[in-house]
């Protein structure tokens, strides 16, 4: 195992799940260390994400903890095995906040993605000009270089929805987001056209909550729900004033699944949603 100074979100999640597995088994840190013939510092470092851990060691720990969920063990071993992989978002390390990179990593490994937005078009479906207009409104005002870095990063994130193995995506968006003309009328028109076209992609479902629906649950939230290889490894990302916040505890995850399900009940079917988008675009 090698020390590392800045574990990624995926590496931190692996560490968290190994700790939860140990605690669920009722095994102390000292007992876990003894099982491996090591000292407790090694276990503490693994569970804090301070050191790397191999897929073989993950399976060894799971065996000691008598974990009955083989699918979870396989998924965790795969997470450990991918620790040396280098992806496109690595180019932004040190240039953008770590939370941006963690979101990219989450989406890359997702088996499915669900989002809910009330005042913004989903980031995975934004045009370059629309994204730029949003970042230019950030307070405090970012530099031109920072804006362009964020725009480029957002555009590259969208690769998960296209290509040979596109990720299944369900987006819920309120009508408000469709009518706010960020960047001006021309930018807004092109953005709505992009949403219309994306709605026809086989892996994309876009549903709109119309003004006529009135109040609805989750109106004050922006939610990114990323499905993992097993449900235990799902993750929710929330936007906050202090940056990206990640939620992975079982009860909150279940609550967010329920919230998104309820929000969908207030949304128009996919075809009607596409027609509403087209109607709003024709008004511009």
């Amino acid at each position: 195992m090698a020390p590392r100074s800045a574990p990624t979100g995926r590496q931190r999640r692996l560490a968290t799940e190994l700790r939860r597995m140990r605690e669920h088994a009722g095994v102390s840190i000292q007992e876990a260390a003894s099982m491996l013939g090591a000292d407790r510092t090694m276990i503490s470092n693994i569970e804090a994400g301070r050191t790397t851990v191999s897929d073989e060691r993950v399976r060894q720990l799971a065996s000691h903890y008598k974990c009955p969920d083989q699918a979870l063990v396989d998924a965790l071993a795969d997470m450990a095995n991918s620790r040396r992989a280098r992806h496109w978002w690595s180019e932004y390390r040190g240039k953008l906040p770590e939370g941006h990179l963690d979101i990219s990593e989450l989406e890359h490994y997702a088996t499915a993605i669900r989002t809910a937005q009330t005042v913004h078009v989903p980031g995975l479906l934004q045009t370059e000009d629309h994204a730029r207009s949003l970042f230019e409104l950030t307070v405090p005002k970012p530099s031109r270089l920072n804006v362009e870095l964020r725009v480029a990063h957002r555009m590259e994130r969208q690769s998960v929805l296209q290509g040979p193995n596109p990720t299944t995506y369900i987006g819920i968006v309120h009508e408000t987001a469709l009518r706010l003309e960020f960047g001006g009328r021309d930018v807004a028109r092109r953005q709505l056209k992009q949403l219309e076209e994306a709605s026809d992609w086989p892996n994309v479902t876009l549903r709109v909550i119309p003004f006529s629906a009135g109040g609805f649950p989750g109106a004050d939230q922006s939610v990114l729900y990323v499905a993992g290889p097993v449900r235990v490894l799902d993750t929710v990302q929330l936007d906050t004033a202090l940056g990206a916040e990640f939620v992975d505890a079982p009860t909150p995850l279940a609550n967010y699944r329920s919230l998104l399900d309820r929000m969908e009940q207030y949304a128009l079917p996919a075809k009607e949603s596409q027609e509403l988008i087209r109607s709003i675009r024709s008004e511009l």
Side-chain angles (χ1 to χ4, degrees):
M1 295 179 295
R4 57 172 168 238
S5 57
T8 68
R10 183 173 170 85
Q11 291 164 342
R12 292 193 299 273
R13 182 60 181 279
L14 171 59
T16 296
E17 292 302 326
L18 289 175
R19 174 182 55 77
R20 287 174 175 162
M21 187 184 294
R22 176 183 59 76
E23 292 175 344
H24 184 74
V27 176
S28 69
I29 290 180
Q30 184 59 58
E31 289 170 334
S34 297
M35 290 173 179
L36 298 180
D39 60 44
R40 58 180 294 129
T41 301
M42 186 189 75
I43 300 299
S44 295
N45 286 338
I46 290 174
E47 294 183 356
R50 287 190 290 266
T51 60
T52 60
V53 58
S54 68
D55 53 332
E56 293 87 357
R57 181 54 57 84
V58 167
R59 294 186 185 281
Q60 188 178 11
L61 288 169
S63 177
H64 285 315
Y65 301 153
K66 295 180 171 57
C67 177
D69 190 340
Q70 189 58 49
L72 172 60
V73 175
D74 290 342
L76 294 177
D78 184 62
M79 291 172 72
N81 197 40
S82 64
R83 66 190 184 280
R84 296 187 182 90
R86 183 175 177 81
H87 298 285
W88 64 262
W89 57 86
S90 299
E91 299 299 323
Y92 293 89
R93 195 167 303 283
K95 301 175 184 178
L96 292 177
E98 288 297 315
H100 287 60
L101 278 60
D102 289 340
I103 292 171
S104 305
E105 186 179 52
L106 271 176
E107 292 171 339
H108 175 80
Y109 288 103
T111 58
I113 298 173
R114 298 173 75 183
T115 66
Q117 307 279 151
T118 54
V119 297
H120 289 301
V121 169
L124 290 174
L125 298 176
Q126 290 176 7
T127 65
E128 185 174 326
D129 287 337
H130 181 94
R132 182 175 292 105
S133 69
L134 292 179
F135 290 131
E136 287 176 342
L137 294 175
T138 302
V139 177
K141 187 174 182 178
S143 67
R144 172 55 59 185
L145 174 59
N146 187 264
V147 168
E148 294 307 318
L149 281 170
R150 290 173 183 246
V151 170
H153 174 263
R154 178 154 295 182
M155 294 303 102
E156 290 198 71
R157 280 176 54 198
Q158 297 178 1
S159 62
V160 299
L161 298 187
Q162 302 181 58
N165 295 297
T167 305
T168 299
Y169 172 78
I170 299 175
I172 304 169
V173 61
H174 193 264
E175 185 175 346
T176 299
L178 306 179
R179 294 188 178 277
L180 290 174
E181 297 177 13
F182 287 104
R185 181 166 294 184
D186 288 342
V187 171
R189 187 182 293 112
R190 290 194 295 273
Q191 177 60 75
L192 292 173
K193 180 64 174 177
Q194 165 76 354
L195 295 181
E196 282 184 59
E197 294 175 351
S199 297
D200 285 328
W201 297 349
N203 59 308
V204 171
T205 300
L206 190 60
R207 300 186 59 187
V208 178
I209 298 178
F211 286 135
S212 60
F216 60 95
D220 61 337
Q221 299 194 53
S222 173
V223 180
L224 167 64
Y225 192 105
V226 178
V230 293
R231 177 162 283 190
V232 174
L233 296 179
D234 290 359
T235 306
V236 164
Q237 183 266 319
L238 307 172
D239 291 329
T240 73
L242 299 178
E245 176 184 344
F246 298 90
V247 179
D248 57 32
T251 298
L253 284 176
N255 288 338
Y256 278 109
R257 284 194 297 271
S258 178
L259 173 64
L260 291 171
D261 289 343
R262 291 193 62 198
M263 291 181 77
E264 285 192 22
Q265 294 174 11
Y266 287 77
L268 297 171
K271 195 63 178 178
E272 292 180 33
S273 294
Q274 188 181 50
E275 291 171 356
L276 177 57
I277 294 170
R278 183 178 298 113
S279 175
I280 295 172
R281 184 170 67 90
S282 69
E283 295 173 11
L284 295 176

